[in-house]
Amino acid sequence: MSKGVKILTIQDISCYGQCSITVALPIISAFGIETAVLPSAILSTHTSSFSGYTFRDLTEDLPAIQKHWEKEDIYFDAIYTGFIGSIKQLDYIKNIIESRLKPGGQVFIDPAMADYGEFYNIFDQKFADKMGEFCKLGDFILPNTSEACYLLHKPWKPDFTKDEMLDIARELSSFTKRYVILKGDNHKKDKMGMIILDKEDESFTKFVYNDKVEHMSFGTGDVFASTFVGSVLNGKSPEAAAKIAGEFTKKCIENTMDDPKHDYGVKFEGVIPEMYDLLKKY
């Protein structure tokens, strides 16, 4: 397990709903990584399957937190961003990355803003264009196909061919310092997978697949991204980290399927011991 590594994750706190920080903090911590949090907003629940939720915007708290960390000489080995609530926050978080990331540190950006071809209800193309600029700070970007299409101003569709997915991944390489992890490759009908592209090595383009589980759950993108981050910071290659994250996410979905009332997230907590087996496997 990783020792002495400190990561900062910046995303919202949905107090109920198994997503964002309430997923990232326990999963990355389980990898043996000291995990600090910077909430971009506090919501009573996530926005996907609940209505009437409360929302407290924490945008104006971010500069003061950065200033205090500078005073206390606090730095991080890695920074991982998820759901960011506004364009203004992206500017503030850029400053935090440039100020608080150690030299040689890694940045992981999950441009969480869309799914199934639709923006989440607070986002639009203007935000996506700003997110595209922000992604260029990342050593790793982890968009799904909907987010990729908005970044690239392309029309989305439920099914892309293998060649189309490759083209999208290659175009996304202009939005990252090095790695693209493009989620949502389903051209194999019984599989769900992703493409991993290294812009520094044109020969390195990998497809990683898991058996498809016919069950829709919210928060799986956060589970995948957090597991991927934890795996990379434990020394795994991007390909191995994607395999670990994909299999772990699948196990979390399977662990939830027998509870029809649990449609707001996945029961990842009871599956964490299996994550250690996957670390050994890959």
Side-chain angles (χ1 to χ4, degrees):
M1 303 300 287
S2 180
K3 293 183 178 180
V5 175
K6 296 181 182 181
I7 187 172
L8 170 66
T9 184
I10 307 173
Q11 46 193 309
D12 74 283
I13 295 176
S14 291
C15 298
Y16 187 81
Q18 292 177 307
C19 69
S20 301
I21 283 178
T22 61
V23 166
L25 176 57
I27 288 179
I28 298 175
S29 296
F31 278 95
I33 298 164
E34 182 178 338
T35 308
V37 301
L38 181 54
S40 57
I42 299 178
L43 294 82
S44 54
T45 66
H46 63 64
T47 64
S48 296
S49 60
F50 300 95
S51 60
Y53 50 83
T54 67
F55 180 93
R56 181 174 293 276
D57 185 356
L58 299 180
T59 299
E60 298 308 323
D61 290 342
L62 302 185
I65 292 171
Q66 176 186 338
K67 185 176 181 180
H68 184 221
W69 285 348
E70 289 172 347
K71 179 181 177 182
E72 296 294 332
D73 203 29
I74 293 170
Y75 289 91
F76 300 97
D77 301 286
I79 294 177
Y80 156 42
T81 68
F83 185 100
I84 305 301
S86 69
I87 286 175
K88 191 172 185 180
Q89 284 189 359
L90 290 173
D91 289 329
Y92 285 156
I93 294 167
K94 179 177 183 290
N95 292 337
I96 290 169
I97 291 172
E98 292 173 345
S99 168
R100 297 296 90 200
L101 184 67
K102 289 181 181 178
Q106 295 178 301
V107 177
F108 302 80
I109 296 176
D110 182 358
M113 59 184 175
D115 214 345
Y116 299 103
E118 298 288 341
F119 280 116
Y120 300 147
N121 59 11
I122 68 169
F123 299 127
D124 57 19
Q125 189 60 53
K126 184 177 180 182
F127 179 87
D129 292 343
K130 185 70 174 182
M131 176 59 78
E133 296 176 20
F134 180 77
C135 281
K136 294 175 183 178
L137 298 170
D139 299 283
F140 301 82
I141 61 168
L142 297 97
N144 61 34
T145 56
S146 299
E147 291 152 353
C149 287
Y150 282 123
L151 289 173
L152 297 171
H153 290 249
K154 286 181 172 291
W156 179 84
K157 58 184 181 179
D159 299 297
F160 290 97
T161 67
K162 182 178 181 179
D163 287 341
E164 287 171 334
M165 291 291 292
L166 278 169
D167 288 342
I168 292 171
R170 288 167 181 151
E171 289 186 61
L172 285 170
S173 66
S174 64
F175 290 90
T176 181
K177 287 183 177 179
R178 185 158 186 187
Y179 291 103
V180 174
I181 295 84
L182 176 60
K183 301 172 292 181
D185 175 22
N186 61 358
H187 79 269
K188 291 186 175 183
K189 297 306 178 185
D190 60 338
K191 303 286 185 181
M192 180 58 72
M194 68 216 77
I195 299 175
I196 305 151
L197 180 146
D198 180 357
K199 68 184 294 182
E200 292 187 3
D201 181 358
E202 292 185 3
S203 66
F204 183 93
T205 303
K206 302 290 184 180
F207 287 83
V208 176
Y209 296 103
N210 299 104
D211 291 336
K212 186 180 289 186
V213 180
E214 296 297 341
H215 181 81
M216 201 287 291
S217 294
F218 296 105
T220 53
D222 298 326
V223 170
F224 177 91
S226 300
T227 308
F228 180 88
V229 169
S231 299
V232 169
L233 294 180
N234 269 272
K236 298 297 181 180
S237 69
E239 183 179 6
K243 290 178 179 178
I244 293 167
E247 287 196 30
F248 181 72
T249 303
K250 175 177 173 286
K251 290 176 182 292
C252 293
I253 297 170
E254 291 172 336
N255 193 47
T256 313
M257 290 175 65
D258 63 351
D259 186 352
K261 293 184 178 180
H262 200 102
D263 61 353
Y264 51 83
V266 289
K267 297 180 180 180
F268 66 89
E269 299 89 348
V271 189
I272 283 178
E274 298 186 47
M275 182 178 73
Y276 304 127
D277 295 333
L278 292 171
L279 272 174
K280 293 176 185 177
K281 180 179 178 180
Y282 295 108

